[in-house]
Amino acid sequence: MFKHSQLESVKAWLVDPTQASLPRHARIQRAVRQLILDGALGPGRPLPASRTLARSLGVSRDTVETAYAQLHAEGFIERRVGSGSYVAEMNEFFSGPRLSRRDALSRNQTPNLSARGEAMFHGGGVREHLSPRPFAPGVPETRSFPIQLWERLERQVLKESGTRALVHGDPQGAEPLRRAIADYVNLERGGRATADRVVVLTSSQQALTLCANLLLDPGDRILIEDPAYYGARKAFDAAGLDCVPVRVDGQGMMVERLRDDPRPAKAVFLTPSHQFPTGATLTLDRRLCLIDWAAKHQAWIIEDDYDSEFHYAGKPTACVQGLDPHDRTLYIGTFTKSLFPSLRIGYVVLPPSLVTPMTVARTLLDGHTASIPQLTLARFMDGGHFGAHVRAMRAVYAQRLDILAGLVRTHLSTFVEPRVPIGGLQLSCVLKDGLSERATIDAARRVGVELLGLSGLHASDGGQPGFLMGFAAYDPAELETAVRKLAGALRA
């Protein structure tokens, strides 16, 4: 028979809400199995008769019989005709003391990670808002996306491809999409791309991780903007790289300082179209200076062009990759910002020598990108729908940026100075003297407003305190409501 504590343990499994999805016989089976694994029921120990245990637990005898049958099938108990059920004899590999379930859980809370694992864990990862609210940055408008058109194109893909679309895809990416991406980069961004130089990935974050691990060794120096995109810094930190900050001014990264560094770096990362988070655009002379430096030192340029589609003043400058005759630039783009986040398609345009190594490396991560969304996106682009959607959203976002800038000047001028960008999906605000960034962000969160602090994006303590305000995903009424809430919170 069970001891009282053992019976209570089985009852606890029956009422545990985390086990509610399991049928009763499975909960009983797992409870008894855990008692055996913990050593609370030793080898040869008799189990209660099914009728007796059923009565104690308030379940049917068939329920207990089903649980016992599963335990017998798994080798945890023996069933002897006319005698009853007993805990099976365990072999030498399962003898000796065992951790209790509580001890096991306790140990799992402090895992023994590798140095790289510790860096990844303590870096906190890159987490996006599942249900974004103003002013979460980097979130596009999805409510007006032409989803019926997308569904129609997807049905066409399934009809024409049939079951061929259900098998493994090319790890470099579907050829129709690579061709469409190359055409887009050449036409709209002034790039030098061909389909065989494009690798389709799940995100720009995956591209950054691959670049960090494929091109550099732990301890190698990489130059990054200061302030910088947090996802890039975390990817490089996790790879064990030595991130060297280079200041950003109104003309982008101050690349002139690269020439004065006595210890050349092996790579440089930057967001030249709309610097994150300042919104500055890297000037042409600095782009050319950067290309010359990379060629001289045989260094790589990692160019993240993540929201270059949304430029609100004049024609955007050509991407660095298109100006680089030495093939030292890796150009990263994504459709997460231009279309919708759950699409999970990004890409990188590579120097020819890196295409095969990068393709092989990505097979160690996720094998390939889902084929059906790739082929649907290719049709979306080839049919001119991507360009039309971007143009429509560019007009919407430009209007929302103007509205938000006006609201900030009207309701928040006492507290902040807005820095209105010429592109991108977020507006940066610098706090005026005496105001705490942490207190401001906490006050905003209490009234349901999300702000991303600027200080944490700087490598040093020299950055001005402030915050980013994403505006793309929120209509004018939502923007006004959120600004008024924020103003009230700060006044309080």
Side-chain angles (χ1 to χ4, degrees), residues 396-478:
V396 169
Y397 296 165
Q399 180 191 42
R400 291 180 180 183
L401 174 58
D402 287 343
I403 290 172
L404 178 59
L407 289 168
V408 169
R409 294 189 183 102
T410 300
H411 300 286
L412 298 175
S413 59
T414 304
F415 311 104
V416 302
E417 177 186 339
R419 304 280 175 84
V420 183
I422 62 172
L425 306 180
Q426 46 271 326
L427 165 73
S428 63
C429 291
V430 175
L431 286 166
K432 294 188 175 179
D433 292 341
L435 294 176
S436 163
E437 180 181 291
R438 182 72 263 165
T440 298
I441 292 172
D442 289 342
R445 188 164 293 150
R446 285 193 292 270
V447 296
V449 173
E450 288 291 335
L451 301 174
L452 176 64
L454 292 178
S455 295
L457 304 177
H458 288 265
S460 61
D461 297 330
Q464 291 179 287
F467 50 81
L468 281 180
M469 305 177 77
F471 57 82
Y474 318 107
D475 65 31
E478 291 168 331

Side-chain angles (χ1 to χ4, degrees), residues 254-262 289 292-293 296-297:
M254 301 175 69
V255 299
E256 307 86 25
R257 301 192 174 190
L258 275 60
R259 296 175 298 194
D260 304 327
D261 194 331
C289 178
D292 182 66
W293 171 87
K296 179 180 178 180
H297 296 286

